[in-house]
Amino acid sequence: MRVILGAVVTAAVLIMAGCAGGPGGAPSARTAQDMPAWYLNPSAVYPDQVYLTAVGTGDTRRDAEQQALAGLSQIFEADIEVDMTTRERYREIMTAQGTLSETEVELAQTTNVRSAQTLLNVQTGEAAVDQSGRVHVIAYIERIPTGRLYVELIEKNGNQVQYFLDEAAVSGTLVREYAYVSAAAVVAAGNELLRDQLRIIAPAMGQIVRLSYTYEDVLRRRVDLAGRMRVSVVITDDEGDRVGGVLRQALGDERFPVSSEDPVLRITGRVSLEPVALSDEFETVRWVLNLAMSGPDGSALISYDDQGRASAVTIDSARAFAYRDIQDAVAKNFVRSMRRYFDGLVLGN
């Protein structure tokens, strides 16, 4: 089954309406009495039962549009949030097989003047310039047509989540089962964002959407499987357990228990720090980090290598800075490699 997934389309999908006159297409300045009705009383032109609206103001039309988009997105801000890691994995999973373009699934912050929300099917109306030269633009979402688009995307996402769950049930190994359920949780998280937005845009449509899974059950299943993914950690030449400690913390964040008893995954590694002479004023340490993750049968799953240099006034400070760089590489890059390995099992990479 192909990966065909719904997406939160960026606000770059704006349908630009015509501007009022003025040289070069720029809107002409108006007095307070001449300002358009949509500025003085937006709901009179865009009734609340039909539209969601926000008026933005800026030095240019682009600035005003960004403010209007931010105003719209703030309507959703209180209850809707998806963390950046999940956004990145959501994007990678959806674009992996080329069914949808990067633009279609981008969760980019095109509306992040004051909000991280990205909305579907936003349009802008005409612009008006007041006596002080400030530009005003109205952005709006037509509830019913936009609601229909959301329903379609939610149903597609729901089908994909169910596909991943079905594949997990017949995956044959704990590692593959976890990978499929983890991917299902990522897509389900994106779908919850869409569902929450739909409940605000078209509440009646939000009530009729039915999915074959519940988000809470998907998350619970992921946590249960993660709890069975015991990982052993052995890092040699690790002064003060600095690297091992960060690695165990990162695994804990993934809900993987760290245990040397009958582990499902094994992470081994080595840390090397050596002083190098680069300057008479500073002490420099060159560091090398090698990490590897193997599966239940001992097969190599991930190989991660990194290196760098750190300098300071004293050798002890240089070593401390080096370990800080190493810890950062473990917490970010190695853990990202782990997630990509699991996603790769799902996507056939």
Side-chain angles (χ1 to χ4, degrees):
M1 177 179 180
R2 294 187 307 164
V3 177
I4 47 174
L5 301 162
V8 181
V9 182
T10 73
V13 187
L14 295 175
I15 301 174
M16 304 301 292
C19 301
S28 55
R30 310 181 186 192
T31 65
Q33 293 78 12
D34 292 335
M35 291 297 285
W38 58 259
Y39 175 77
L40 300 173
N41 184 11
S43 61
V45 181
Y46 298 91
D48 292 338
Q49 65 271 26
V50 180
Y51 300 95
L52 286 171
T53 63
V55 175
T57 300
D59 293 330
T60 66
R61 179 181 175 110
R62 180 178 176 79
D63 291 341
E65 287 174 351
Q66 289 294 301
Q67 287 289 345
L69 292 171
L72 269 180
S73 64
Q74 281 185 309
I75 298 172
F76 303 84
E77 190 66 13
D79 300 320
I80 304 172
E81 182 177 355
V82 175
D83 65 86
M84 185 56 66
T85 297
T86 301
R87 293 183 186 201
E88 292 174 354
R89 292 182 65 196
Y90 184 79
R91 181 186 304 117
E92 289 172 1
I93 289 172
M94 290 187 180
T95 56
Q97 296 187 3
T99 304
L100 298 178
S101 69
E102 175 73 11
T103 300
E104 288 174 312
V105 299
E106 177 68 49
L107 286 172
Q109 306 307 306
T110 53
T111 63
N112 72 345
V113 177
R114 294 182 180 174
S115 168
Q117 290 298 315
T118 304
L119 305 173
L120 175 66
N121 206 34
V122 178
Q123 301 186 55
T124 55
E126 67 168 341
V129 179
D130 61 25
Q131 286 181 308
S132 65
R134 300 281 282 171
V135 182
H136 308 276
V137 174
I138 189 165
Y140 61 91
I141 296 173
E142 193 172 358
R143 292 179 183 270
I144 299 304
T146 304
R148 293 193 186 104
L149 293 176
Y150 271 84
V151 169
E152 180 181 353
L153 293 176
I154 289 168
E155 289 176 347
K156 288 182 179 180
N157 266 347
N159 291 338
Q160 188 61 52
V161 172
Q162 189 58 55
Y163 169 71
F164 284 152
L165 294 176
D166 291 343
E167 289 296 304
V170 297
S171 57
T173 68
L174 176 59
V175 172
R176 293 186 67 85
E177 183 180 4
Y178 171 80
Y180 275 106
V181 173
S182 179
V186 169
V187 179
N191 220 21
E192 286 303 293
L193 176 66
L194 289 169
R195 294 181 69 191
D196 285 342
Q197 289 180 340
L198 176 60
R199 292 185 186 104
I200 296 172
I201 292 169
M205 289 186 179
Q207 293 175 4
I208 66 173
V209 171
R210 294 291 182 267
L211 299 173
S212 60
Y213 67 90
T214 65
Y215 184 47
E216 293 75 15
D217 286 345
V218 174
L219 294 182
R220 190 178 301 112
R221 187 173 173 187
R222 180 190 180 279
V223 170
D224 290 344
L225 287 170
R228 296 164 54 192
M229 297 276 287
R230 293 180 302 278
V231 185
S232 67
V233 176
V234 178
I235 309 296
T236 59
D237 299 329
D238 181 15
E239 181 182 300
D241 194 37
R242 297 183 184 183
V243 176
V246 170
L247 186 53
R248 283 188 285 273
Q249 177 62 51
L251 292 169
D253 292 342
E254 297 293 309
R255 304 297 182 90
F256 293 165
V258 178
S259 174
S260 59
E261 183 178 349
D262 193 22
V264 176
L265 301 172
R266 292 176 172 83
I267 296 177
T268 58
R270 182 176 181 274
V271 183
S272 173
L273 279 76
E274 296 180 354
V276 293
L278 295 179
S279 168
D280 293 335
E281 298 180 5
F282 298 99
E283 301 289 344
T284 300
V285 170
R286 179 177 181 270
W287 61 265
V288 177
L289 173 66
N290 308 112
L291 293 174
M293 186 174 80
S294 58
D297 60 355
S299 59
L301 305 180
I302 298 173
S303 179
Y304 177 80
D305 301 298
D306 204 350
Q307 61 182 318
R309 290 196 299 263
S311 299
V313 175
T314 67
I315 191 66
D316 288 340
S317 296
R319 289 176 65 86
F321 289 143
Y323 265 107
R324 186 179 304 173
D325 292 342
I326 294 169
Q327 290 170 327
D328 190 56
V330 171
K332 295 180 180 178
N333 301 332
F334 179 72
V335 173
R336 185 181 295 117
S337 296
M338 286 183 58
R339 296 190 185 112
R340 286 179 176 170
Y341 167 74
F342 292 119
D343 291 343
L345 291 179
V346 170
L347 300 171
N349 296 340

